[in-house]
Amino acid sequence: MGNLPATRVRSTVIAGALVALAAALLTPGSANGQSTAGTFSTAELRTAREAVLEADVTGTAWNVDPATGKVLVSVDETVSAREIRHIQRTAGELAGALKFERIPGELETAAELRETAAETEPFVKGGEYIYGIDTKASLGFNAVYNGQDYFITAGHCTNDVSRWYLDPSLTTYIGPTVASSYPGNDYGIVRYDNSTIPRPGTVRCGQNEIDITGSVEPRVGMPFSIAGYNCRAATVQAVNVSVNLADGIVHGLFRSNACAAPSDSGAASFTGNLALGLLSVGSASCTTSGITYWQPVNEVLTAYGLTLT
């Protein structure tokens, strides 16, 4: 979703002393809260995750990293050294189960990403753009329930928009938002009330149309594509990720090495002929970063009893 002001109220200026301290906290070894020996049980990792949630620091994302056996805590450029230490203190004796990494930019919903001079249009078009008042987003997947057609997109967009259109002049009406879940989750559904609008069960991948025949759960290492006129490849880097945003915390996302651009909110990801997820969060624009977080589509289908078209 594009053209809406960011809602986060946070100073992004960190004093030099805090920057130096943050660098020390994030370097390898005991200074970053990593234990030098021992492993952590599933219960301990669950407790460490809960500690990061309890610390409630905006601009963080966290998940269990199977490669290290620790909880990976990703912190954006707005998170200060003091806040990192607060997370570690909250974890207490399990601070060693936390591994911190600094990621570029600021964690925001794709709606809040700013367009740069070198980025005059989004890299990901999501098949088709959809519009509301002061809003531009991407259509994810078409679906059906009890004979009625719907489409799925990002919940942080459907929270704000009640009526959707196919064009920026808001003349070709699609239909209303009928359900929305954000924060906590990040998905919403819109009902097709205009019978003249085509709603195929395909996604665009460059000049090709890919038939979506089902859905799949993300898993680490899974390659996937992002629907749009510039169809691009990406890889799942982590699953069951929680992200702390200005609007609240979103759980159950998966992380990828793909970037996001303005108006990408709700863009579809797929692997082969299977639907995978909807774009939720990015840490900067495509000119500077390659980290995004995605809402798994299966959760949406289960929540509303939908079947992909």
Side-chain angles (χ1 to χ4, degrees), residues 24-250:
L25 287 168
L26 293 166
T27 54
S30 60
N32 68 354
Q34 300 177 37
S35 61
T36 56
T39 59
F40 299 95
S41 67
T42 300
E44 288 174 323
L45 292 174
R46 183 183 307 112
T47 301
R49 281 182 60 110
E50 292 170 352
V52 181
L53 174 63
E54 180 183 349
D56 193 19
V57 175
T58 302
T60 58
W62 61 97
N63 60 276
V64 173
D65 179 13
T68 62
K70 297 183 179 183
V71 175
L72 175 64
V73 184
S74 305
V75 297
D76 72 16
E77 293 177 356
T78 72
V79 177
S80 68
R82 178 177 297 179
E83 289 170 312
I84 294 172
R85 293 181 65 182
H86 169 63
I87 296 171
Q88 292 174 318
R89 287 195 300 270
T90 304
E93 62 183 13
L94 286 177
L98 306 179
K99 175 185 176 182
F100 290 88
E101 69 165 355
R102 179 73 73 180
I103 59 176
E106 181 178 352
L107 283 171
E108 301 171 298
T109 64
E112 297 170 310
L113 294 174
R114 264 76 68 181
E115 195 167 19
T116 66
E119 199 171 273
T120 56
E121 63 179 11
F123 282 66
V124 184
K125 296 184 183 295
E128 296 290 343
Y129 287 134
I130 48 178
Y131 301 86
I133 297 175
D134 297 325
T135 301
K136 181 181 179 182
S138 294
L139 189 152
F141 299 98
N142 285 319
V144 63
Y145 173 75
N146 198 26
Q148 172 65 53
D149 291 323
Y150 301 87
F151 71 76
I152 306 167
T153 189
H156 64 263
C157 294
T158 52
N159 266 16
D160 295 334
V161 177
S162 60
R163 294 171 61 87
W164 291 91
Y165 298 82
L166 269 184
D167 58 301
S169 59
L170 309 184
T171 57
T172 305
Y173 182 56
I174 302 174
T177 294
V178 295
S180 191
S181 182
Y182 175 84
N185 306 300
D186 194 3
Y187 51 75
I189 60 173
V190 176
R191 186 179 68 229
Y192 279 99
D193 278 358
N194 186 339
S195 61
T196 67
I197 297 175
R199 57 209 71 174
T202 60
V203 295
R204 179 183 294 275
C205 187
Q207 299 302 311
N208 300 315
E209 296 293 322
I210 307 299
D211 187 28
I212 298 299
T213 59
S215 60
V216 65
E217 286 293 322
R219 62 178 183 273
V220 175
M222 175 185 285
F224 67 91
S225 299
I226 303 169
Y229 292 92
N230 295 307
C231 191
R232 296 176 298 113
T235 303
V236 176
Q237 296 180 317
V239 297
N240 196 23
V241 182
S242 298
V243 181
N244 194 325
L245 302 164
D247 294 336
I249 300 173
V250 182

